[in-house]
Amino acid sequence: MKEILDVIVDPGSQPADLAALPLPKSYRAVTLHRDEEHMFDGIETRNRDPRKSLHVEEVPVPELAWGEALVAVMASSVNYNTVWSSIFSPMSTFAFLKRYGKLSPLTARHDLPYHVVGSDLAGVVLRTGPGVNVWKPGEEVVAHCLSVELESADGHNDTMLDPEQRIWGFETNFGGLAELALVKTNQLMPKPKHLTWEEAATPGLVNSTAFRQLVSDNGASMKQGHNVLIWGASGGLGAYATQYALAGGAIPICVVSSEHKAQLCRSMGAELIINRAAEGYQFWKDEHTQDPKEWKRFGARIRELTGGEDVDIVFEHPGRETFGASVYVARRGGTIVTCASTSGFIHEYDNRYLWMTLKRIIGSHFANYREAWQANRLIAKGMIHPTMSAVYPLEETGQAALDVHRNLHHGKVAVLCLAPHEGLGVRDDLLREKHLAQINRFRNE
Ligand SMILES: NC(=O)c1ccc[n+]([C@@H]2O[C@H](COP(=O)([O-])OP(=O)(O)OC[C@H]3O[C@@H](n4cnc5c(N)ncnc54)[C@H](OP(=O)(O)O)[C@@H]3O)[C@@H](O)[C@H]2O)c1
């Protein structure tokens, strides 16, 4: 791996130098072990500790197949799916690998006793498999996490509808939290030239998801002037939703749980902010009963901020805890667009507030290649910015995942893989200089 790294960081090296290097037999990776998938049985999910389940170890380099690339990973990031994998909740990811492995002899490569996790990367293409014409060794890339087979007609209008759609590094193996990763080349996109490796590794999954969920016609089709209620507005997804709302001429109403997070939203340009912790909303009286008075209090607060208006779009992902309130506060004809259920996936809401006022609930999941490409393009142009707050070495991925699990992080946290230190990989100093303040606004002091 050292020779590979030396060539990548040498400014005088040529793509052919990388292609000429022999592949190593093994690489360091963050893994889960199949024989530990029951280690947390009987422990409440919030008390499960990713540091106990995530290992950093040498694993064999996988065989490269048709349409694939091996990428030398300079940096990756922790997504919430890394938390779900590492706490084996709501199910063990080995079940996904087993199912994928049954599809073909090639997918059987993924069904192993270990799972290399991680759904983001910034790095350099090392090798491409047969049938790959567009991408070449030496190219600097980021990868989005949509893995599709596209053998069925269903996915050919929108690849998210492929029945064999999977999230790379979560439902497939050989993910990005490692020195090498195996991807399909239709996951690759150009690395934004003005960003460091670790900055470039952080937007991929959440930026693409927020773009589809809020902006795309496959999601909420946000328009200029829309009021958009954004839960977790300084978190992984929410900080991109906030940026998209502002960039698209909409009005974000940002919900956060601390003054520091409120300040982060202000730094992005948001003005209407609800600190849910300070204002003490209790949407549930007990485990089974919601409190419509609290929905009303929340709605009244939104109207106070907007000058009497309700929200056109609710950007939902906390799930059970907030969904009843989200349906209630959307305006007549408004849209609740959901991509997750962090606090519980059995949602309850009062359906009268949905049908009598003609609201819509839209399900949204990741993004197709085109949407991911558009979202990455906006990063590359310096119109949407990374939200990286902290950087961890590969060995401390467990701690990084624990911080995200405990909601102690801001924006996104990066992980250095092959990159020996922060700050490498910038190819466009002028564009960086222009946007340095925005790029750094989430950095923890
Ligand atoms: N379907 C997809 O393609 C997709 C893609 C990305 C993520 N996701 C899912 O989306 C969820 C969020 O991901 P993320 O990366 O944004 O995570 P994140 O970085 O942890 O941010 C989520 C934010 O939501 C807020 N939040 C958490 N629990 C809440 C609750 N009970 N009530 C109200 N607000 C709450 C928190 O903000 P405050 O504490 O400041 O309010 C937190 O910062 C996860 O479940 C993840 O798996 C799905």
Side-chain angles (χ1 to χ4, degrees):
M1 291 308 310
K2 182 169 179 320
E3 282 175 302
I4 291 173
L5 179 61
D6 287 347
V7 171
I8 292 173
V9 297
D10 175 1
S13 72
Q14 302 297 316
D17 300 337
L18 209 54
L21 284 179
L23 284 179
K25 296 253 173 304
S26 66
Y27 65 107
R28 268 182 341 136
V30 176
T31 61
L32 294 166
H33 292 178
R34 189 199 297 274
D35 62 7
E36 292 179 346
E37 66 185 349
H38 296 294
M39 67 191 294
F40 296 132
D41 286 3
I43 301 174
E44 276 198 64
T45 52
R46 68 166 171 267
N47 296 326
R48 298 181 184 186
D49 185 344
R51 293 174 304 182
K52 295 191 174 145
S53 54
L54 290 172
H55 305 275
V56 179
E57 61 184 338
E58 289 281 326
V59 295
V61 173
E63 188 195 329
L64 184 63
W66 194 92
E68 293 179 342
L70 268 176
V71 180
V73 184
M74 299 300 279
S76 181
S77 90
V78 172
N79 281 296
Y80 215 93
N81 71 10
T82 318
V83 176
W84 296 126
S85 320
S86 67
I87 62 174
F88 301 108
S89 175
M91 62 192 287
S92 161
T93 49
F94 287 98
F96 300 137
L97 302 186
K98 194 173 188 120
R99 187 153 169 253
Y100 190 33
K102 286 186 180 149
L103 197 63
S104 75
L106 283 179
T107 64
R109 289 172 301 163
H110 292 254
D111 184 14
L112 293 167
Y114 60 86
H115 185 185
V116 181
V117 294
S119 300
D120 273 321
L121 70 73
V124 183
V125 176
L126 266 189
R127 289 282 193 284
T128 54
V132 176
N133 306 307
V134 175
W135 299 98
K136 307 268 184 269
E139 285 182 313
E140 299 189 346
V141 292
V142 290
H144 71 76
C145 63
L146 173 62
S147 167
V148 283
E149 310 299 321
L150 290 180
E151 289 187 292
S152 150
D154 295 5
H156 281 259
N157 262 354
D158 173 12
T159 49
M160 281 305 299
L161 298 182
D162 184 23
E164 298 295 340
Q165 175 271 320
R166 290 179 172 79
I167 299 297
W168 160 72
F170 180 59
E171 294 164 292
T172 76
N173 216 325
F174 317 120
L177 283 161
E179 293 174 333
L180 288 184
L182 185 74
V183 296
K184 294 179 192 279
T185 50
N186 58 20
Q187 289 175 243
L188 296 177
M189 308 187 290
K191 171 190 166 287
K193 292 186 193 316
H194 64 303
L195 301 180
T196 63
W197 294 113
E198 57 280 6
E199 289 161 357
T202 55
L205 185 148
V206 283
N207 180 36
S208 311
T209 306
F211 181 89
R212 179 181 175 109
Q213 188 175 351
L214 192 56
V215 179
S216 167
D217 286 343
N218 289 316
S221 292
M222 184 193 76
K223 301 281 182 298
Q224 293 198 2
H226 271 166
N227 288 326
V228 185
L229 181 76
I230 301 171
W231 290 104
S234 72
L237 287 169
Y240 285 95
T242 301
Q243 292 188 69
Y244 280 120
L246 290 162
I251 301 154
I253 296 111
C254 296
V255 187
V256 291
S257 65
S258 72
E259 180 45 37
H260 181 66
K261 290 178 172 185
Q263 196 48 45
L264 286 171
C265 293
R266 280 184 209 109
S267 77
M268 289 186 280
E271 292 174 1
L272 311 185
I273 295 166
I274 297 176
N275 181 335
R276 68 182 172 100
E279 296 177 25
Y281 297 102
Q282 296 288 341
F283 299 129
W284 290 80
K285 288 185 205 166
D286 59 47
E287 214 181 308
H288 307 287
T289 326
Q290 296 197 60
D291 186 350
K293 280 201 192 111
E294 284 292 90
W295 301 344
K296 284 182 188 154
R297 182 163 77 92
F298 186 58
R301 177 74 175 120
I302 292 170
R303 285 184 179 171
E304 192 186 334
L305 289 172
T306 57
E309 296 173 347
D310 293 330
V311 294
D312 298 273
I313 299 170
V314 184
F315 186 85
E316 244 294 336
H317 51 88
R320 182 170 174 81
E321 228 169 280
T322 55
F323 206 80
S326 292
V327 170
Y328 178 80
V329 299
R331 76 186 285 257
R332 184 174 277 265
T335 301
I336 301 97
V337 62
T338 172
C339 78
S341 294
T342 313
S343 65
F345 46 79
I346 305 293
H347 296 184
E348 286 174 33
Y349 62 89
D350 186 332
N351 202 32
R352 290 169 298 179
Y353 293 115
L354 189 86
W355 100 72
M356 296 289 285
T357 43
L358 302 109
K359 301 177 189 179
R360 297 183 306 157
I361 295 171
I362 296 178
S364 188
H365 187 37
F366 189 60
N368 62 38
Y369 192 10
R370 178 71 187 147
E371 289 161 337
W373 188 281
Q374 290 285 64
N376 183 58
R377 178 173 161 266
L378 292 168
I379 301 269
K381 285 182 175 293
M383 296 169 75
I384 298 289
H385 301 285
T387 58
M388 186 183 80
S389 60
V391 184
Y392 290 79
L394 195 66
E395 294 71 23
E396 286 177 33
T397 305
Q399 182 62 48
L402 181 65
D403 290 353
V404 174
H405 186 26
R406 291 193 174 152
N407 195 15
L408 298 174
H409 68 301
H410 303 120
K412 289 282 303 177
V413 291
V415 173
L416 294 182
C417 298
L418 277 173
H421 55 82
E422 293 180 38
L424 300 173
V426 176
R427 310 291 178 228
D428 184 341
D429 290 310
L430 271 182
L431 188 61
R432 182 175 183 79
E433 194 53 42
K434 188 172 167 197
H435 297 297
L436 199 57
Q438 291 96 323
I439 292 168
N440 281 326
R441 62 190 161 200
F442 275 67
R443 283 310 300 252
N444 290 338
E445 319 66 49

